Amino acid sequence: LSVEERRVLQVASCLGGTFDSSNVFFVMDKLCSKEKMIGAKSEHIGSRIWSDLQPDKKPNVNESLIICAEEGLIESDDGLHYRFAHDQILSAAFSLIPEDRRALLQFQSGQSILESMPDKDMEKNLFLIVNLLNRGSSFITADNEKRVQLLTMNLKAGKKAMKSSGFGPAATYLNICMSLLGDDHWHNEATLSLDVFSTLAKAEFCNGNLKEMEVCLDEIFHRNL
């Protein structure tokens, strides 16, 4: 496989066992073209993951995916929706990403899809985007706007999971919300905080975790909300 085809596989491995070609394109396009200010100079974000990246060289994602399919690494019935041929191939593709850059690639993948995806497709891809961003949440701790955005998306994902009786995953998303609440959040983000604590209390009740539910409710009652 060429360097470009290996990179496409690496990005695909971040998206899971099944993935859409459009999402791989969104990520590769952003990584190869988006610049970020580093001190007094700009740097292509993708170069922080792949040091030999050629800036502004647009990758041919569809061609790379077709070649990978011909090699038996991935499969597709329509050329739009793909799946890895085996879990071991998925693991091998992910292992090609330098270990110290995996969280960054996952975070940038989520950010790229979030910025590029049409609004009409956002709801069905919510879990994918939130999961990717959560794996690199350490990259947004100093950015208050992105912190609140990720918090809100986790809250939305938690509520969506609860609607389908996924109370375990819901609690996971909502506990991430708790970790993303800012300093003095009951003063600065009172409405959001109440939503997080009350929703988590419901999720923990449904999970049978009554002590955790009581902790959430005690916090709310303590604030006289």
Side-chain angles (χ1 to χ4, degrees), residues 147 151 155 177-178 180-200 216 219-220 223 225:
R147 176 188 63 79
L151 195 167
L155 178 57
C177 289
M178 298 271 278
L180 290 168
L181 286 168
D183 296 334
D184 199 16
H185 58 87
W186 283 113
H187 180 265
N188 298 322
E189 301 165 342
T191 301
L192 189 56
S193 297
L194 177 59
D195 203 355
V196 170
F197 276 85
S198 60
T199 307
L200 180 56
C216 294
E219 180 71 14
I220 293 172
R223 301 295 169 175
L225 296 173

Short mmCIF file of all heavy atoms in Angstrom, two decimals, residues 147 151 155 177-178 180-200 216 219-220 223 225:
data_model
loop_
_atom_site.label_atom_id
_atom_site.label_comp_id
_atom_site.label_asym_id
_atom_site.label_seq_id
_atom_site.Cartn_x
_atom_site.Cartn_y
_atom_site.Cartn_z
N ARG A 147 -15.09 23.62 25.18
CA ARG A 147 -15.44 22.83 26.35
C ARG A 147 -16.95 22.76 26.52
O ARG A 147 -17.52 21.68 26.71
CB ARG A 147 -14.80 23.43 27.61
CG ARG A 147 -15.20 22.71 28.91
CD ARG A 147 -14.71 23.47 30.13
NE ARG A 147 -15.31 24.79 30.26
CZ ARG A 147 -16.54 25.01 30.73
NH1 ARG A 147 -17.30 24.00 31.11
NH2 ARG A 147 -17.01 26.25 30.84
N LEU A 151 -19.37 19.54 26.15
CA LEU A 151 -20.26 19.21 27.27
C LEU A 151 -21.70 19.07 26.78
O LEU A 151 -22.39 18.09 27.10
CB LEU A 151 -20.15 20.32 28.33
CG LEU A 151 -20.71 20.06 29.73
CD1 LEU A 151 -20.21 21.14 30.69
CD2 LEU A 151 -22.24 20.04 29.76
N LEU A 155 -24.13 15.74 26.69
CA LEU A 155 -25.46 15.75 27.31
C LEU A 155 -26.51 15.27 26.30
O LEU A 155 -27.38 14.46 26.64
CB LEU A 155 -25.79 17.16 27.79
CG LEU A 155 -27.15 17.38 28.44
CD1 LEU A 155 -27.35 16.46 29.63
CD2 LEU A 155 -27.30 18.85 28.86
N CYS A 177 -19.79 14.76 31.06
CA CYS A 177 -20.34 16.11 31.23
C CYS A 177 -19.88 16.70 32.56
O CYS A 177 -19.48 17.87 32.64
CB CYS A 177 -21.86 16.09 31.20
SG CYS A 177 -22.60 15.76 29.58
N MET A 178 -19.97 15.89 33.60
CA MET A 178 -19.59 16.36 34.94
C MET A 178 -18.13 16.82 34.94
O MET A 178 -17.79 17.85 35.54
CB MET A 178 -19.77 15.23 35.95
CG MET A 178 -21.19 14.74 36.09
SD MET A 178 -22.11 15.64 37.33
CE MET A 178 -21.58 14.78 38.80
N LEU A 180 -16.50 18.03 32.56
CA LEU A 180 -16.30 19.18 31.70
C LEU A 180 -16.93 20.46 32.26
O LEU A 180 -16.75 21.54 31.69
CB LEU A 180 -16.88 18.91 30.30
CG LEU A 180 -16.12 17.88 29.45
CD1 LEU A 180 -16.95 17.49 28.22
CD2 LEU A 180 -14.77 18.43 29.01
N LEU A 181 -17.68 20.33 33.36
CA LEU A 181 -18.26 21.53 33.97
C LEU A 181 -17.14 22.44 34.46
O LEU A 181 -16.15 21.99 35.02
CB LEU A 181 -19.18 21.13 35.12
CG LEU A 181 -20.53 20.52 34.73
CD1 LEU A 181 -21.21 19.92 35.95
CD2 LEU A 181 -21.42 21.55 34.06
N GLY A 182 -17.32 23.72 34.25
CA GLY A 182 -16.28 24.68 34.61
C GLY A 182 -16.24 25.01 36.09
O GLY A 182 -17.09 24.56 36.87
N ASP A 183 -15.26 25.78 36.46
CA ASP A 183 -15.16 26.24 37.84
C ASP A 183 -16.37 27.09 38.20
O ASP A 183 -16.85 27.88 37.39
CB ASP A 183 -13.88 27.06 38.03
CG ASP A 183 -12.62 26.23 37.80
OD1 ASP A 183 -12.69 25.01 37.99
OD2 ASP A 183 -11.59 26.83 37.41
N ASP A 184 -16.86 26.89 39.42
CA ASP A 184 -18.04 27.64 39.88
C ASP A 184 -19.21 27.49 38.91
O ASP A 184 -19.90 28.45 38.58
CB ASP A 184 -17.68 29.12 40.07
CG ASP A 184 -18.68 29.84 40.96
OD1 ASP A 184 -19.43 29.15 41.67
OD2 ASP A 184 -18.72 31.09 40.92
N HIS A 185 -19.39 26.26 38.43
CA HIS A 185 -20.40 26.02 37.38
C HIS A 185 -21.83 26.28 37.85
O HIS A 185 -22.68 26.64 37.03
CB HIS A 185 -20.26 24.60 36.82
CG HIS A 185 -20.41 23.52 37.85
ND1 HIS A 185 -21.63 23.01 38.21
CD2 HIS A 185 -19.49 22.85 38.59
CE1 HIS A 185 -21.47 22.07 39.11
NE2 HIS A 185 -20.18 21.96 39.38
N TRP A 186 -22.09 26.11 39.15
CA TRP A 186 -23.45 26.39 39.60
C TRP A 186 -23.78 27.88 39.51
O TRP A 186 -24.95 28.26 39.44
CB TRP A 186 -23.64 25.91 41.05
CG TRP A 186 -23.82 24.42 41.16
CD1 TRP A 186 -22.97 23.53 41.73
CD2 TRP A 186 -24.93 23.65 40.66
NE1 TRP A 186 -23.46 22.26 41.63
CE2 TRP A 186 -24.67 22.30 40.99
CE3 TRP A 186 -26.11 23.97 39.99
CZ2 TRP A 186 -25.55 21.27 40.66
CZ3 TRP A 186 -26.98 22.95 39.66
CH2 TRP A 186 -26.70 21.61 39.99
N HIS A 187 -22.76 28.70 39.47
CA HIS A 187 -22.97 30.14 39.33
C HIS A 187 -22.93 30.55 37.86
O HIS A 187 -23.78 31.33 37.40
CB HIS A 187 -21.91 30.91 40.11
CG HIS A 187 -22.06 32.41 40.01
ND1 HIS A 187 -21.36 33.17 39.08
CD2 HIS A 187 -22.84 33.29 40.70
CE1 HIS A 187 -21.71 34.43 39.21
NE2 HIS A 187 -22.59 34.54 40.19
N ASN A 188 -21.96 30.03 37.13
CA ASN A 188 -21.77 30.44 35.73
C ASN A 188 -22.58 29.64 34.72
O ASN A 188 -22.89 30.13 33.63
CB ASN A 188 -20.28 30.34 35.36
CG ASN A 188 -19.41 31.26 36.21
OD1 ASN A 188 -19.81 32.38 36.53
ND2 ASN A 188 -18.22 30.79 36.57
N GLU A 189 -22.91 28.38 35.07
CA GLU A 189 -23.61 27.50 34.13
C GLU A 189 -24.72 26.76 34.88
O GLU A 189 -24.84 25.54 34.81
CB GLU A 189 -22.62 26.50 33.50
CG GLU A 189 -21.47 27.17 32.75
CD GLU A 189 -20.33 26.21 32.46
OE1 GLU A 189 -20.25 25.14 33.11
OE2 GLU A 189 -19.48 26.52 31.61
N ALA A 190 -25.57 27.51 35.60
CA ALA A 190 -26.56 26.90 36.49
C ALA A 190 -27.55 26.02 35.75
O ALA A 190 -27.83 24.88 36.16
CB ALA A 190 -27.30 28.00 37.25
N THR A 191 -28.10 26.51 34.65
CA THR A 191 -29.11 25.75 33.90
C THR A 191 -28.50 24.47 33.33
O THR A 191 -29.10 23.38 33.42
CB THR A 191 -29.69 26.60 32.76
OG1 THR A 191 -30.29 27.78 33.30
CG2 THR A 191 -30.74 25.82 31.98
N LEU A 192 -27.31 24.59 32.77
CA LEU A 192 -26.62 23.44 32.20
C LEU A 192 -26.27 22.44 33.29
O LEU A 192 -26.43 21.22 33.13
CB LEU A 192 -25.37 23.90 31.46
CG LEU A 192 -24.61 22.87 30.61
CD1 LEU A 192 -25.53 22.25 29.56
CD2 LEU A 192 -23.41 23.53 29.93
N SER A 193 -25.81 22.94 34.42
CA SER A 193 -25.45 22.06 35.54
C SER A 193 -26.65 21.28 36.05
O SER A 193 -26.57 20.07 36.31
CB SER A 193 -24.84 22.88 36.68
OG SER A 193 -23.63 23.51 36.28
N LEU A 194 -27.78 21.96 36.19
CA LEU A 194 -29.00 21.30 36.64
C LEU A 194 -29.42 20.20 35.67
O LEU A 194 -29.81 19.11 36.08
CB LEU A 194 -30.12 22.33 36.79
CG LEU A 194 -31.50 21.78 37.20
CD1 LEU A 194 -31.40 21.04 38.54
CD2 LEU A 194 -32.51 22.90 37.26
N ASP A 195 -29.31 20.49 34.39
CA ASP A 195 -29.68 19.51 33.37
C ASP A 195 -28.77 18.28 33.46
O ASP A 195 -29.23 17.13 33.38
CB ASP A 195 -29.55 20.15 31.98
CG ASP A 195 -30.41 19.44 30.93
OD1 ASP A 195 -31.01 18.40 31.25
OD2 ASP A 195 -30.46 19.94 29.78
N VAL A 196 -27.47 18.51 33.63
CA VAL A 196 -26.51 17.40 33.73
C VAL A 196 -26.80 16.55 34.97
O VAL A 196 -26.92 15.31 34.88
CB VAL A 196 -25.06 17.93 33.76
CG1 VAL A 196 -24.10 16.79 34.12
CG2 VAL A 196 -24.68 18.54 32.42
N PHE A 197 -26.91 17.17 36.13
CA PHE A 197 -27.08 16.43 37.38
C PHE A 197 -28.42 15.68 37.41
O PHE A 197 -28.48 14.53 37.85
CB PHE A 197 -26.97 17.37 38.58
CG PHE A 197 -25.56 17.62 39.02
CD1 PHE A 197 -24.78 18.60 38.43
CD2 PHE A 197 -25.00 16.87 40.04
CE1 PHE A 197 -23.48 18.83 38.83
CE2 PHE A 197 -23.69 17.09 40.47
CZ PHE A 197 -22.93 18.07 39.85
N SER A 198 -29.48 16.33 36.95
CA SER A 198 -30.80 15.69 36.99
C SER A 198 -30.88 14.53 36.00
O SER A 198 -31.47 13.48 36.32
CB SER A 198 -31.90 16.71 36.71
OG SER A 198 -31.74 17.30 35.43
N THR A 199 -30.29 14.69 34.83
CA THR A 199 -30.31 13.62 33.84
C THR A 199 -29.45 12.45 34.30
O THR A 199 -29.82 11.28 34.12
CB THR A 199 -29.81 14.12 32.47
OG1 THR A 199 -30.55 15.29 32.08
CG2 THR A 199 -29.99 13.06 31.39
N LEU A 200 -28.29 12.74 34.90
CA LEU A 200 -27.45 11.67 35.42
C LEU A 200 -28.15 10.93 36.55
O LEU A 200 -28.04 9.70 36.66
CB LEU A 200 -26.10 12.23 35.90
CG LEU A 200 -25.12 11.21 36.48
CD1 LEU A 200 -24.83 10.10 35.48
CD2 LEU A 200 -23.81 11.91 36.90
N CYS A 216 -26.19 12.84 43.16
CA CYS A 216 -26.63 13.87 42.21
C CYS A 216 -27.78 14.69 42.78
O CYS A 216 -27.78 15.93 42.69
CB CYS A 216 -27.07 13.22 40.89
SG CYS A 216 -25.75 12.42 39.97
N GLU A 219 -26.72 17.07 45.54
CA GLU A 219 -26.04 18.27 44.99
C GLU A 219 -27.07 19.29 44.52
O GLU A 219 -26.92 20.48 44.75
CB GLU A 219 -25.13 17.83 43.84
CG GLU A 219 -24.37 18.96 43.19
CD GLU A 219 -23.27 19.53 44.06
OE1 GLU A 219 -22.90 18.92 45.07
OE2 GLU A 219 -22.77 20.64 43.72
N ILE A 220 -28.12 18.79 43.86
CA ILE A 220 -29.17 19.70 43.37
C ILE A 220 -29.90 20.35 44.54
O ILE A 220 -30.11 21.57 44.57
CB ILE A 220 -30.18 18.92 42.48
CG1 ILE A 220 -29.50 18.44 41.20
CG2 ILE A 220 -31.37 19.81 42.14
CD1 ILE A 220 -30.35 17.52 40.36
N ARG A 223 -28.17 23.05 46.37
CA ARG A 223 -28.13 24.35 45.65
C ARG A 223 -29.49 25.03 45.66
O ARG A 223 -29.66 26.11 45.06
CB ARG A 223 -27.70 24.13 44.20
CG ARG A 223 -26.31 23.47 44.06
CD ARG A 223 -25.23 24.36 44.58
NE ARG A 223 -23.95 23.63 44.68
CZ ARG A 223 -22.80 24.20 45.01
NH1 ARG A 223 -22.76 25.48 45.31
NH2 ARG A 223 -21.70 23.48 45.08
N LEU A 225 -32.19 24.28 44.04
CA LEU A 225 -32.69 24.44 42.67
C LEU A 225 -33.96 23.66 42.47
O LEU A 225 -34.18 22.64 43.11
CB LEU A 225 -31.61 23.96 41.67
CG LEU A 225 -30.31 24.78 41.69
CD1 LEU A 225 -29.27 24.11 40.81
CD2 LEU A 225 -30.56 26.20 41.20
#
